[in-house]
Amino acid sequence: MPDTSGVKGWGPSRTQKTIAVLLLLIVWTGVANSWTEKGCTLPQGYVYVVTHGGSPDRGQGCESEPDGPVYTDQYYG
């Protein structure tokens, strides 16, 4: 039986994983930035990308409130 102790299995390298994570963060930031164009802060944009499934629809955005921007699904910006 051949010795396979030194053979690596196929899979992404650490560098490939790092690049994939960086690309994911860049895309996530780009989509989160589309929420800032609708009156939301960037941290809110990151949350809304996850909770609302991406960039805002036509009627989604944030309205100014005394405590800061608040999400609305009736945005008319």
Side-chain angles (χ1 to χ4, degrees):
M1 184 165 229
D3 181 21
T4 60
S5 61
V7 177
K8 289 184 172 181
W10 185 89
S13 68
R14 178 177 284 184
T15 302
Q16 291 171 328
K17 290 176 187 177
T18 302
I19 290 171
V21 168
L22 289 174
L23 288 174
L24 179 64
L25 289 173
I26 289 169
V27 169
W28 188 20
T29 300
V31 177
N33 194 44
S34 66
W35 282 94
T36 64
E37 297 167 2
K38 296 280 199 128
C40 303
T41 64
L42 188 58
Q44 286 174 318
Y46 284 117
V47 173
Y48 296 150
V49 167
V50 175
T51 59
H52 295 281
S55 60
D57 292 334
R58 180 173 291 187
Q60 294 177 322
C62 291
E63 294 179 338
S64 294
E65 295 289 331
D67 294 333
V70 177
Y71 171 79
T72 181
D73 58 359
Q74 297 177 356
Y75 178 79
Y76 298 107

